Amino acid sequence: MALYVKKFGGSSVATPEKMLNIANRVLRDRKPGDKIVIVVSAMGDSTDDLLDLAAKVSDVNYARERDMLLSTGEQVSIALMAMTFKKLGVPAISLTGPQAGIVAGGGYGKATIDDVKPDRVFKELEAGNIVIVAGFQGMMPNGDIATLGRGGSDATAVALAGAMHADMCEIFTDVDGVYSADPRHVTGTIKMKEITNTEMLEMARLGAGVMQPRSVELGMKYHIPIHVRSTFTDEEGTIIREVCTMETRDDTVRGVAQDAHAARIAVLGLRNIPGVAYKIFSVLAENNITVDMIVQSVRNSNDDKTDIIFTIDDADLSDAKRVLDAMRDEGKVEEVIYDDDTAKVSVVGAGMLGRPGVAARMFGALGRAGVNIDIVSTSEISISCLILRKDLDKAVQAIHCLLYTSDAADDLTR
Ligand code: ASP
Ligand code: MG
């Protein structure tokens, strides 16, 4: 007897037929006494369709109303999913995020899950129901619905699993696990049986689309193992857990991540005095804009002006433009240049720590592929390069080939 939280993404619940397949699979795998909570996303591309609808009404982001609109997508899925089970003669009940006790904080549009109070979910499980919960939404302290950022249903599933001390959180998706690079863009990728949550967090943060970074963080916080696997096959996927049980620790590099959504901003001609960078980044933080790679340029040492270049998610570009153009208009900076043709490629692996040569190999692969590097940033377990977006696929492929084929060893000794 075990408690499972199973999350199915938008492509997995895109049609009533697919919902029926899911229901049959869940019932087939359920052992006597198992308790099942299912978290679902909105059907297919319906979140995008709702966003398009909102854009037709106004290009202003009315954040509260937009969340009200977006949260309906998941509500369609839970109701239809519950009906599907009922039709099969199995007791089931749908619950919205607020009904399931998902307490959201922060702001509309990218709210965090601050608490989970799953009393109702437990009660419905006790009553013999399969409980179907709407992903991507929670209730703010003021009673409003807020959404959790794109891909946020993963976070719902992991947080629920954590709060309910589930035995496993399963993320069913259209890929069958976590690969050494995105198999849709790169050939020769390897599926990982296991990955540590630190590595997965870094991969997700750097653009591996399989899981939303925040949900990986929640998995760490609650010590919940997460099984990422395919909706469409029975094959085992990849298990994200604290410590890998297998001998994978020696892999210097675990994966190559790509992020096509990095936008580059150059703030030019700032006064070269203490506190200036603080001013820029605090204004961005107040506006909920996360800054990623940062470099401050070295002009002449006696120059009284300096430049700061950094990257953000391109979804935040128009917000950033608004605040930084205002600073320019007030004369606080001379010029701001926005560049949306950039992308980020990264290598990730805990085994890289303290091993020289990974950066050199990465830069070598990019150089031979004719890809220019604009900015480099590193963390303890990753190295990232900002490049032109048009070069992204080429860059990932080149780095992946170098690191994962037998030639890699040769290359090191060359
Ligand atoms: N439906 C939401 C989205 O498309 C949440 C999710 O899919 O996890 O971003
Ligand atoms: Mg979706």
Side-chain angles (χ1 to χ4, degrees):
M1 195 185 103
L3 170 61
Y4 290 102
V5 175
K6 297 170 184 265
K7 180 258 172 178
F8 293 89
S11 54
S12 307
V13 294
T15 63
E17 293 73 32
K18 289 187 170 176
M19 290 189 183
L20 181 60
N21 289 340
I22 290 174
N24 281 324
R25 178 180 181 159
V26 167
L27 295 173
R28 183 202 66 191
D29 294 344
R30 181 173 67 159
K31 291 179 205 63
D34 277 357
K35 296 193 157 57
I36 311 281
V37 177
I38 296 176
V39 174
V40 286
S41 297
M43 295 170 74
D45 295 329
S46 58
T47 305
D48 291 320
D49 298 342
L50 291 170
L51 280 170
D52 290 346
L53 258 182
K56 282 195 183 120
V57 175
S58 167
D59 52 14
V60 176
N61 175 12
Y62 299 112
R64 179 187 183 277
E65 305 311 328
R66 197 169 73 166
D67 274 5
M68 189 64 96
L69 178 70
L70 291 188
S71 64
T72 63
E74 271 67 16
Q75 276 173 235
V76 171
S77 300
I78 53 171
L80 292 175
M81 201 66 226
M83 292 176 196
T84 307
F85 279 105
K86 283 174 182 289
K87 191 186 146 211
L88 295 172
V90 177
I93 186 168
S94 63
L95 298 176
T96 64
Q99 287 176 320
I102 308 289
V103 179
Y108 302 106
K110 34 183 163 177
T112 50
I113 297 180
D114 287 358
D115 198 4
V116 181
K117 297 178 175 150
D119 315 9
R120 177 80 189 271
V121 183
F122 278 125
K123 198 179 119 207
E124 299 299 347
L125 286 173
E126 281 312 314
N129 285 302
I130 288 183
V131 180
I132 299 148
V133 176
F136 181 54
Q137 53 175 260
M139 185 157 46
M140 303 236 277
N142 69 359
D144 279 355
I145 279 211
T147 63
L148 307 175
R150 297 307 306 265
S153 301
D154 288 350
T156 306
V158 179
L160 258 179
M164 300 181 72
H165 304 286
D167 294 278
M168 177 72 86
C169 179
E170 290 176 294
I171 305 283
F172 290 88
T173 171
D174 50 359
V175 296
D176 58 359
V178 181
Y179 280 76
S180 53
D182 188 339
R184 287 168 303 186
H185 297 274
V186 179
T187 57
T189 52
I190 299 162
K191 187 167 93 182
M192 296 181 240
K193 284 206 161 70
E194 295 185 323
I195 183 169
T196 64
N197 43 30
T198 347
E199 287 170 322
M200 190 62 224
L201 180 59
E202 196 73 348
M203 292 277 286
R205 193 180 71 76
L206 294 171
V210 202
M211 274 201 77
Q212 196 211 29
R214 231 191 284 140
S215 55
V216 184
E217 245 162 23
L218 286 165
M220 286 168 92
K221 179 170 157 193
Y222 288 115
H223 312 285
I224 282 286
I226 301 171
H227 188 173
V228 179
R229 59 192 307 184
S230 166
T231 313
F232 310 109
T233 73
D234 283 336
E235 229 179 286
E236 294 278 303
T238 303
I239 299 193
I240 307 167
R241 59 166 103 237
E242 251 147 320
V243 180
C244 284
T245 54
M246 301 175 330
E247 292 188 60
T248 47
R249 303 303 318 131
D250 279 350
D251 286 356
T252 315
V253 171
R254 299 280 276 147
V256 185
Q258 60 184 91
D259 177 6
H261 298 287
R264 177 189 194 272
I265 299 180
V267 180
L268 307 180
L270 289 129
R271 292 186 61 205
N272 196 4
I273 49 169
V276 168
Y278 164 76
K279 229 175 256 161
I280 295 198
F281 294 119
S282 57
V283 169
L284 291 170
E286 276 160 26
N287 284 274
N288 226 342
I289 299 166
T290 309
V291 173
D292 186 23
M293 308 166 114
I294 305 175
V295 287
Q296 179 160 2
S297 79
V298 192
R299 288 191 181 187
N300 233 329
S301 57
N302 52 12
D303 201 325
D304 64 351
K305 292 282 169 62
T306 185
D307 310 318
I308 291 181
I309 301 168
F310 56 89
T311 63
I312 61 170
D313 190 305
D314 62 6
D316 291 331
L317 196 56
S318 57
D319 282 346
K321 259 186 185 149
R322 185 172 42 76
V323 293
L324 294 172
D325 283 351
M327 290 184 87
R328 183 199 56 208
D329 295 343
E330 290 163 18
K332 289 189 180 130
V333 303
E334 279 167 8
E335 201 184 340
V336 189
I337 300 169
Y338 305 95
D339 192 348
D340 200 12
D341 301 330
T342 50
K344 192 170 59 178
V345 57
S346 312
V347 296
V348 176
M352 270 163 45
L353 245 177
R355 288 202 206 189
V358 180
R361 283 156 67 195
M362 181 183 190
F363 301 158
L366 290 175
R368 280 190 296 279
V371 176
N372 198 40
I373 303 170
D374 186 20
I375 302 179
V376 178
S377 70
T378 59
S379 80
E380 285 199 335
I381 62 164
S382 69
I383 304 170
S384 305
C385 296
L386 192 73
I387 59 174
L388 284 178
R389 186 168 302 166
K390 69 171 178 50
D391 290 336
L392 184 57
D393 282 353
K394 187 165 74 173
V396 182
Q397 186 71 66
I399 295 168
H400 190 271
C401 274
L402 179 67
L403 298 169
Y404 275 93
T405 60
S406 50
D407 298 347
D410 296 355
D411 205 275
L412 254 182
T413 50
R414 231 175 263 151

